Amino acid sequence: MASVRNKVNPLLFNIPYVLTWRRFGFRTICSGRLGFAPFTSPSIADADTPVAGTKVLETFTEEFEIGSRKITLETGKIARFANGSVVLAMEETKVLSTVASSKGDAVRDFLPLTVDYQEKQFAQGVIPTTYMRREGAPKERELLCGRLIDRPIRPLFPSGFYHEVQVMASVLSSDGKQDPDIMAANASSAALMLSDIPWGGPIGVVRIGRISGQFVVNPSMDELSISDLNLVYACTRDKTLMIDVQAREISEKDLEAALRFAHPEAVKYLDPQIRLAAKAGKQKKEYKVSMVSEKTFEKIQNLAKEPVEAVFTDPTYGKFERGEALENITQDVKRVLEEEGDDEGLKILPKTVDTVRKQVVRRRIISEGLRVDGRRLDEVRPLYCEAGNLPVLHGSALFSRGDTQVLCTVTLGAPGEAQHLDSLVGPSSKRFMLHYSFPPFCTNEVGKKTGLNRREVGHGTLAEKALLAVLPPEDDFPYAVRINSEVMASDGSTSMATVCGGSMGLMDSGIPIREHVAGLSIGLVSEVDPSTGEIKEYRILTDILGLEDHLGDMDFKIAGTRNGVTAIQLDIKPAGIPLDIICECLDPALKGRRQILEHMEREIRAPRIQDDRYSPRLVTLKYSNDALRRLIGPLGALKRKIEEETGARISVSDGTLTIVAKNQSVMEKVLERIDFIIGREIEIGGVYKGKVVSIKEYGAFVEFNGGQQGLLHISELSPDPVSRVSDVVSLGQQLSLMCIEQDGRGNIKLSLKATLPTPKSMAVTVDEPVAPTSQEVNVWAAIEDVSNEQEKQGATAEPETNDLTMKLATPAVLIRSVAECDEEEKSDGLNSKGDNGSQSASKSDKKTRISSSLSKSGFSSGNAKKSKRDKDDATSETPMSANKLKLGMRVTAKVHQIRALGLVLDLGGGIRGMYRFEPDMKRDFDVGDELRVECSSFSTKGIPVLTLVKEE
């Protein structure tokens, strides 16, 4: 035998046997480690040596096609111990869904169904970026997908089945093309069909999009991004179970067409699940069902029915008064049962009394058409709207409908403050966030606030989808927006009240939304034939109360504008509702929505113009990446320091710097800091702030504009002679200086006296043409750069979103002395009507105007006479040029551009000027309109600043 072994593989048997010991870790490759083991052929192995066999996994699959996509259901390969386990695949995306149930007989009066959905990063070949490199708490998307699975499967469990059930869905792999949420819902339905848990399925869940007017079944993520409809529809073979819609103002007619198109497509999921369950499903187990005996139910009904009817027929009861009266009835019945020693009745008392309440309310609505609070079936509760109730905030609104009250606040932020998303599919961030909060005090209860709540996340996302349709595009409105919805009081439909309050808050914040969005809930009360299970009679309720939601069959939330629907969420309690009834609810929802929109529009109809003290400011600047690196500093320290000191938010991307400040004063501080760190392109005539770093006999060196240095010569310190530099400036002093010269070697000459008020006897000359700035700032004030004091006070930096950078190609402007001006007038024939007396008077007036040219209104009474003559004199047919334009000259200009804060005027001869709107003035100008204007001053860049001439 030994010789035979050596012939088989002599090399392996020359290795010392100690290397094959398991305690040294030298094992076979099959065990997961690279090592050595003696070779043993099955034909020559000892008879008592165990030989591993091959495990055969019996798998069952079903393949079918929906739309243009192939879908596969598979069971038996993985998660074999679960009560039911299915892997659903669509192209390269696979989702596993498992179901399990408890076997105990715990005493409870509700179905403890838990649905968990998880997207682990391994599904897309990524390691989590968290500190522990593990997935953390469930994200918002995972909670929403869990609710999407829960809502259609919950109504199909049999009445009285109170065993704990857990459904767990997880994404095994994702190609990023398909959203795994509806795949998980269908896989969960198939897993329940395979299990032994009693359940009235299967169900089919399908997504419908609409591209260019054509419906698309199960659209990919790329197709969904250009679709104006995102409809998720779940149903059994003949009834609707759930609807979830996000749309861009789709009409009720088109929505009904989409629903009727979705139903037969969703039904295609049913037969493959039935065939799979027939091949691999378990026999349904007899679980203990909690049922109420007929005798006990009749006893409790006889005791409680009349007092309950008395409460529900009195519309004067409020929510809490009604609840207290019903609780007293329950306590009275409890005392009677305790006296009789009826232990069975005491155990089921709360559930049975609730059933009696349900019967009383539903019978009154169906037979008499009367609701609990005395309203008609199609009547909306009284409304109260208030916008701007918190003026310090960017936007706020208070909305009340009946006893339901919601406070919504709006906060604007920088683009970098958008929420980052870590989902397997979809965008990586979102700039619009709506956070819904349901504190315990809104129902007069004591509770504990915890982390993310499934209900709060679901309600907030529904309102977010409803408002998203009317927000301006990101290119036009780059802010990040957060709405906080705080429920102040709850008596039904708080999510739809959030939609209404959020819409008013957006307008109050000045966001240019197209129009208001409103929403309300539609309810249903039906009577079912016990023999067939079909609905014999039903009533549709508009704007349901919380009690009607609890005791009714449906909560159909519909939100939209006057033009169409933007969001829908349908939840039901019975095992399905016919689609015809669902479509019938769309019309009363539209009528109720219009009533609410009318009240909202009475309070606020259009976006407000914000107060400069509280309204935020956004500026976008273009810089080189090297300059942005200097601004950020090591590890972002310098950027954080600026944010901490000013309270602004700074976002940096490739070549773009975005700043969001709380108000204009904060914005000015930030821009000043950034200009000092990064600097701007040096312009002749530009004014910069700098610090004196050294003093010499011949002048001072000043550091400015992001670390550049310039020479402030002694001759440029003051209009008066200066003997010593230190008499005027000191080391470390902050100065505002004008650049007067820059040679080819980069040497910069600065002037202090050029920024000082000009004496009457001196002329101020700007010799160099104005170079266009390299920074494109999305604010009107930045292109003006007006140096006079009044202009600075009136400058605001309201955000502009379309073509906000105005480039004025202006020639050099020369401001001459009074004598030169008079000579120019004579030579050009512009003063032909003036006599000597008027000319001498005008000379004095011109001196006054030149010395006060940086004041918006700096005209004396003598100027009025001269201006009257100039009104006629300026109509010369001589083409306008830079040398002819003087302070006080009146000309006829044409409107070239209309900006948010003023006009760009064409003066002729290639000269452009600017005119700023005055407060409360009419702004109905059109491009091409002719205006009579007067040159009141020049900006530091040589741009004429004009004022309108009032007709006498």
Side-chain angles (χ1 to χ4, degrees):
M1 180 65 70
S3 61
V4 174
R5 285 188 175 183
N6 289 333
K7 289 180 181 179
V8 173
N9 197 334
L11 288 177
L12 287 178
F13 292 96
N14 292 328
I15 298 173
Y17 185 72
V18 70
L19 293 182
T20 65
W21 291 356
R22 288 183 177 270
R23 65 189 184 93
F24 285 100
F26 294 93
R27 303 181 183 178
T28 62
I29 296 176
C30 295
S31 68
R33 302 191 182 197
L34 182 60
F36 306 95
F39 178 84
T40 303
S41 174
S43 59
I44 58 177
D46 297 334
D48 56 351
T49 302
V51 179
T54 301
K55 185 174 181 63
V56 178
L57 299 178
E58 187 178 10
T59 61
F60 302 90
T61 61
E62 283 291 331
E63 292 185 358
F64 55 102
E65 191 172 305
I66 294 181
S68 60
R69 312 200 187 280
K70 180 181 177 182
I71 300 173
T72 303
L73 292 173
E74 181 183 78
T75 186
K77 182 179 289 186
I78 59 177
R80 296 166 62 85
F81 282 177
N83 204 326
S85 170
V86 169
V87 174
L88 187 146
M90 184 184 297
E91 296 181 350
E92 299 300 322
T93 300
K94 293 187 177 183
V95 177
L96 167 68
S97 184
T98 61
V99 60
S101 65
S102 65
K103 305 301 187 292
D105 297 330
V107 177
R108 55 175 69 92
D109 59 355
F110 66 96
L111 171 63
L113 172 64
T114 304
V115 179
D116 294 315
Y117 172 89
Q118 192 171 24
E119 293 180 346
K120 292 194 173 182
Q121 295 298 306
F122 71 78
Q124 58 181 354
V126 174
I127 296 176
T129 57
T130 59
Y131 177 76
M132 297 295 294
R133 297 296 185 267
R134 299 173 66 96
E135 286 79 11
K139 298 182 286 289
E140 284 189 13
R141 171 177 162 79
E142 293 174 324
L143 296 180
L144 293 171
C145 292
R147 281 172 53 88
L148 194 73
I149 301 170
D150 182 299
R151 286 158 52 196
I153 67 174
R154 184 178 291 270
L156 298 181
F157 286 94
S159 177
F161 178 78
Y162 297 146
H163 294 267
E164 187 173 5
V165 178
Q166 184 177 34
V167 178
M168 298 188 70
S170 58
V171 182
L172 300 181
S173 66
S174 173
D175 58 7
K177 298 178 181 179
Q178 299 295 325
D179 194 328
D181 55 356
I182 63 165
M183 298 173 60
N186 286 292
S188 300
S189 171
L192 284 167
M193 289 294 293
L194 292 173
S195 71
D196 62 11
I197 301 171
W199 187 63
I203 66 169
V205 186
V206 70
R207 172 174 272 112
I208 301 296
R210 189 175 70 167
I211 302 174
S212 301
Q214 299 295 320
F215 293 123
V216 180
V217 181
N218 289 338
S220 66
M221 297 304 300
D222 291 338
E223 292 172 331
L224 204 58
S225 64
I226 59 174
S227 170
D228 63 354
L229 173 66
N230 184 358
L231 164 65
V232 177
Y233 181 86
C235 65
T236 58
R237 195 171 298 277
D238 55 356
K239 292 183 179 180
T240 301
L241 288 167
M242 182 204 70
I243 299 174
D244 197 278
V245 173
Q246 179 180 356
R248 298 174 187 169
E249 297 181 278
I250 185 173
S251 67
E252 278 73 11
K253 181 180 179 181
D254 291 344
L255 179 61
E256 180 178 349
L259 293 174
R260 297 193 182 278
F261 176 81
H263 187 91
E265 295 295 332
V267 169
K268 294 179 182 179
Y269 282 95
L270 305 184
D271 290 335
Q273 296 181 49
I274 294 173
R275 292 195 299 268
L276 186 66
K279 291 189 289 185
K282 299 178 182 177
Q283 183 70 29
K284 296 299 181 181
K285 186 178 179 181
E286 292 293 331
Y287 283 81
K288 182 178 180 181
V289 177
S290 300
M291 300 296 292
V292 180
S293 66
E294 193 70 26
K295 179 181 177 181
T296 304
F297 177 77
E298 289 180 358
K299 180 194 290 187
I300 296 176
Q301 183 181 36
N302 294 333
L303 293 172
K305 183 177 180 180
E306 291 185 5
V308 168
E309 285 183 343
V311 173
F312 285 146
T313 53
D314 188 353
T316 61
Y317 277 107
K319 174 179 179 176
F320 293 106
E321 293 81 5
R322 187 185 303 114
E324 184 177 353
L326 293 173
E327 180 60 27
N328 292 335
I329 294 172
T330 303
Q331 295 301 321
D332 292 341
V333 175
K334 182 179 180 181
R335 281 191 291 269
V336 173
L337 296 178
E338 287 175 342
E339 291 174 1
E340 296 179 357
D342 190 346
D343 295 334
E344 181 185 358
L346 290 172
K347 289 180 181 180
I348 62 172
L349 176 62
K351 193 75 173 179
T352 308
V353 171
D354 188 66
T355 304
V356 174
R357 296 174 186 172
K358 187 174 183 179
Q359 290 178 344
V360 171
V361 171
R362 294 167 70 90
R363 185 176 63 253
R364 290 189 72 244
I365 290 175
I366 290 178
S367 60
E368 304 174 27
L370 297 176
R371 301 172 69 170
V372 173
D373 56 355
R375 282 185 294 150
R376 300 190 306 272
L377 299 182
D378 60 348
E379 188 176 352
V380 178
R381 288 174 286 174
L383 302 169
Y384 173 79
C385 304
E386 182 180 347
N389 54 313
L390 301 174
V392 177
L393 305 183
H394 296 166
S396 61
L398 186 68
F399 180 85
S400 297
R401 180 167 51 213
D403 290 332
T404 296
Q405 186 182 65
V406 171
L407 173 66
C408 290
T409 59
V410 179
T411 307
L412 306 181
E417 295 180 287
Q419 181 181 358
H420 295 281
L421 306 174
D422 292 328
S423 59
L424 299 180
V425 294
S428 59
S429 64
K430 65 175 182 178
R431 67 183 180 109
F432 178 57
M433 301 154 279
L434 194 150
H435 297 152
Y436 168 98
S437 179
F438 193 89
F441 66 78
C442 71
T443 54
N444 195 27
E445 296 176 356
V446 177
K448 182 179 180 181
K449 291 294 292 180
T450 57
L452 283 178
N453 179 281
R454 287 176 182 257
R455 180 182 178 277
E456 291 182 342
V457 171
H459 281 37
T461 302
L462 174 63
E464 181 181 295
K465 292 191 293 187
L467 295 171
L468 191 62
V470 298
L471 280 181
E474 187 171 0
D475 292 341
D476 297 341
F477 191 79
Y479 288 94
V481 183
R482 182 191 185 220
I483 296 180
N484 233 67
S485 172
E486 303 286 335
V487 179
M488 299 288 108
S490 173
D491 190 16
S493 211
T494 54
S495 62
M496 295 294 96
T498 295
V499 173
C500 302
S503 179
M504 291 194 299
L506 289 173
M507 280 200 176
D508 183 60
S509 67
I511 298 176
I513 63 174
R514 294 195 303 275
E515 55 185 306
H516 272 310
V517 183
L520 76 168
S521 288
I522 302 297
L524 177 72
V525 172
S526 60
E527 187 175 328
V528 180
D529 187 342
S531 59
T532 62
E534 298 297 324
I535 295 178
K536 297 189 301 182
E537 201 168 359
Y538 63 90
R539 296 288 184 272
I540 296 173
L541 312 179
T542 300
D543 185 23
I544 57 176
L545 295 170
L547 183 65
E548 292 170 333
D549 180 13
H550 173 67
L551 301 178
D553 296 333
M554 177 179 75
D555 183 11
F556 194 10
K557 300 182 179 72
I558 307 176
T561 65
R562 292 184 181 276
N563 301 325
V565 174
T566 58
I568 283 179
Q569 179 177 294
L570 169 65
D571 294 320
I572 65 171
K573 295 179 179 63
I577 295 174
L579 182 57
D580 290 339
I581 297 178
I582 301 296
C583 295
E584 188 180 341
C585 296
L586 297 177
D587 185 57
L590 175 60
K591 293 178 180 178
R593 189 166 77 242
R594 286 174 175 168
Q595 296 176 34
I596 299 169
L597 287 170
E598 289 177 2
H599 281 77
M600 294 167 60
E601 289 169 354
R602 289 177 201 155
E603 175 63 18
I604 179 170
R605 298 184 64 89
R608 296 192 196 278
I609 298 176
Q610 281 292 323
D611 186 350
D612 290 344
R613 294 175 300 167
Y614 305 123
S615 57
R617 291 290 181 263
L618 184 144
V619 171
T620 301
L621 304 170
K622 298 293 185 181
Y623 288 105
S624 66
N625 289 329
D626 290 337
L628 293 177
R629 278 191 285 270
R630 292 203 307 272
L631 174 65
I632 296 172
L635 300 177
L638 190 55
K639 171 178 169 289
R640 287 195 302 270
K641 183 179 180 182
I642 296 174
E643 291 179 331
E644 291 170 0
E645 292 178 352
T646 62
R649 291 291 177 266
I650 301 174
S651 299
V652 178
S653 60
D654 187 17
T656 302
L657 176 68
T658 304
I659 309 166
V660 175
K662 293 181 180 179
N663 49 51
Q664 178 60 23
S665 62
V666 174
M667 177 62 74
E668 291 174 355
K669 292 178 183 178
V670 177
L671 291 175
E672 181 180 331
R673 292 289 303 275
I674 291 174
D675 282 347
F676 187 80
I677 296 170
I678 297 180
R680 296 175 292 176
E681 182 177 338
I682 299 298
E683 302 171 0
I684 304 301
V687 178
Y688 305 89
K689 289 188 177 182
K691 182 174 67 174
V692 178
V693 293
S694 66
I695 297 178
K696 307 296 182 182
E697 294 181 358
Y698 51 85
F701 285 96
V702 179
E703 184 178 318
F704 72 108
N705 199 42
Q708 292 181 292
Q709 284 196 4
L711 173 63
L712 176 59
H713 195 266
I714 190 171
S715 62
E716 296 294 335
L717 288 173
S718 173
D720 302 322
V722 177
S723 58
R724 288 193 306 175
V725 177
S726 58
D727 291 341
V728 181
V729 297
S730 59
L731 199 64
Q733 183 178 354
Q734 300 281 346
L735 299 173
S736 291
L737 305 169
M738 180 183 291
C739 175
I740 59 174
E741 185 180 339
Q742 184 178 17
D743 60 24
R745 292 175 294 178
N747 297 322
I748 301 170
K749 290 184 179 181
L750 305 172
S751 175
L752 178 60
K753 69 180 183 181
T755 64
L756 301 176
T758 307
K760 297 179 182 180
S761 60
M762 296 186 65
V764 181
T765 305
V766 182
D767 296 322
E768 298 292 335
V770 179
T773 177
S774 61
Q775 304 169 10
E776 297 182 3
V777 184
N778 289 349
V779 287
W780 169 262
I783 60 153
E784 294 177 343
D785 196 15
V786 184
S787 59
N788 64 72
E789 192 64 27
Q790 179 124 1
E791 294 281 337
K792 283 187 177 179
Q793 292 176 1
T796 57
E798 291 192 13
E800 289 292 322
T801 54
N802 301 359
D803 189 24
L804 296 178
T805 304
M806 184 173 62
K807 298 180 180 179
L808 300 179
T810 58
V813 177
L814 184 67
I815 305 178
R816 294 166 292 277
S817 65
V818 177
E820 290 172 334
C821 288
D822 291 341
E823 282 297 319
E824 188 74 15
E825 287 179 359
K826 292 177 182 178
S827 63
D828 290 342
L830 294 176
N831 198 23
S832 59
K833 294 183 181 181
D835 54 25
N836 294 334
S838 64
Q839 287 180 12
S840 61
S842 67
K843 289 178 182 180
S844 175
D845 294 338
K846 286 180 181 179
K847 291 180 182 179
T848 304
R849 285 199 295 269
I850 292 175
S851 64
S852 60
S853 62
L854 299 182
S855 172
K856 186 174 183 180
S857 60
F859 290 88
S860 64
S861 59
N863 292 339
K865 297 178 181 178
K866 175 63 180 174
S867 300
K868 181 71 172 62
R869 287 191 298 273
D870 286 344
K871 180 178 180 181
D872 300 325
D873 296 344
T875 58
S876 171
E877 295 181 359
T878 306
M880 180 58 64
S881 65
N883 293 332
K884 294 179 182 179
L885 184 63
K886 300 175 292 297
L887 294 174
M889 176 177 285
R890 296 187 178 186
V891 296
T892 300
K894 289 186 178 181
V895 177
H896 178 70
Q897 286 183 339
I898 302 174
R899 316 305 301 166
L901 300 179
L903 304 175
V904 180
L905 301 178
D906 188 353
L907 306 181
I911 300 178
R912 301 274 170 80
M914 57 190 176
Y915 165 70
R916 179 183 298 282
F917 291 140
E918 298 177 3
D920 302 326
M921 71 171 291
K922 294 184 178 179
R923 305 183 182 186
D924 50 347
F925 297 98
D926 293 322
V927 174
D929 287 353
E930 291 190 352
L931 303 176
R932 194 67 175 164
V933 294
E934 180 177 314
C935 180
S936 62
S937 65
F938 293 91
S939 74
T940 56
K941 298 180 180 180
I943 302 171
V945 180
L946 308 169
T947 57
L948 285 178
V949 176
K950 297 182 180 179
E951 297 294 338
E952 297 181 1

